[in-house]
Amino acid sequence: KHALFDKFGKEIFPKRGPVSVGDLEQMKVDYKEILFQHFMNYFDQESQLFLEGKNLISYTIAQDTIENMLDKEIDYVKQQKLPFYIIQVESKKEITLDIEVHGEKKNIRFKGFIDRIDKIGDVYRVIDYKSGKVKSENVTFKLKEEGLIHSFTGCKHAVQLALYCLFFKDSFGHFPQEAMIYSLTDVSKLDHKLTFSGKSIGDICALFEQFIEEVVNEIFNSDVAIEHNSDALYCDYCS
């Protein structure tokens, strides 16, 4: 409703103005009916299936999550002295990276959706929404002695946000000034910025391209075994 462009990058008319506190306050009113209708559609128009019992817990959590996010957005906008614009939501992006695999040039295509691109003054931000908690180490990128693969895997959200920034640069011609995770369930803090001490977003993205090249070369290296990571926890859900 407030985005300047649709997810394909086409400008929306009539043109939207900056998002105001009043707009966000109105969202706190409007979302209730929208959320209700989404639950109705999911439960085949049977409201009693989510207005009582265990599904009521999910419905209540969804309400609380949206309320918490909008309250923090309101606080954020109140602090801004410059206009705040939503550029795109669910922005569909695609890029191709040229890498070298064992001396041969290869093209690696990436496709994805950036949850949100916004702008405050001249500062562009790319944002990804997460339903879980975010720790500082998840967004604090550090170069490790073990190499780029360990560096990126040691910073949980660096890969996704770096790719988003490359998507952004391909569309806008420059990197965003900020990339961040919005934790929808964190009651104390909404935004968690990707950082790299003394370096820029562009520096992280340059390392990301090297990281991708290393990963692909490792995949194509017949001397490197592809094995299960014994430290990974995802298989616990299958047991």
Side-chain angles (χ1 to χ4, degrees), residues 114-118 125-129 164 180-182:
I114 302 177
D115 285 346
R116 175 169 137 190
I117 300 171
D118 64 25
R125 310 189 304 170
V126 295
I127 297 169
D128 184 63
Y129 297 119
Y164 278 11
M180 64 188 66
I181 299 294
Y182 263 25

Side-chain angles (χ1 to χ4, degrees), residues 94-113:
E94 179 178 341
I95 61 170
T96 299
L97 296 182
D98 299 323
I99 67 171
E100 186 173 300
V101 180
H102 303 313
E104 181 181 347
K105 293 289 184 180
K106 290 187 179 292
N107 299 323
I108 307 296
R109 183 187 300 176
F110 293 89
K111 293 183 179 181
F113 293 84

Side-chain angles (χ1 to χ4, degrees), residues 36 39-40 43 46-53 55-56 59:
F36 178 80
F39 269 76
M40 284 288 283
F43 288 100
E46 296 289 344
S47 61
Q48 70 270 21
L49 293 179
F50 64 89
L51 293 180
E52 58 186 35
N55 289 324
L56 177 60
Y59 186 55

Side-chain angles (χ1 to χ4, degrees), residues 193-210:
K193 297 179 185 178
L194 178 63
T195 61
F196 183 16
S197 181
K199 304 292 183 178
S200 67
I201 292 293
D203 294 324
I204 297 178
C205 290
L207 292 173
F208 171 78
E209 293 192 51
Q210 296 176 38

Side-chain angles (χ1 to χ4, degrees), residues 135-159 193-200 203-204 207-208 211:
K135 299 178 181 179
S136 61
E137 58 263 32
N138 299 153
V139 287
T140 303
F141 184 80
K142 296 178 180 179
L143 277 176
K144 297 185 177 181
E145 293 182 357
E146 297 90 338
L148 286 177
I149 293 178
H150 283 85
S151 299
F152 275 94
T153 54
C155 182
K156 184 177 180 180
H157 300 302
V159 171
K193 297 179 185 178
L194 178 63
T195 61
F196 183 16
S197 181
K199 304 292 183 178
S200 67
D203 294 324
I204 297 178
L207 292 173
F208 171 78
F211 157 74

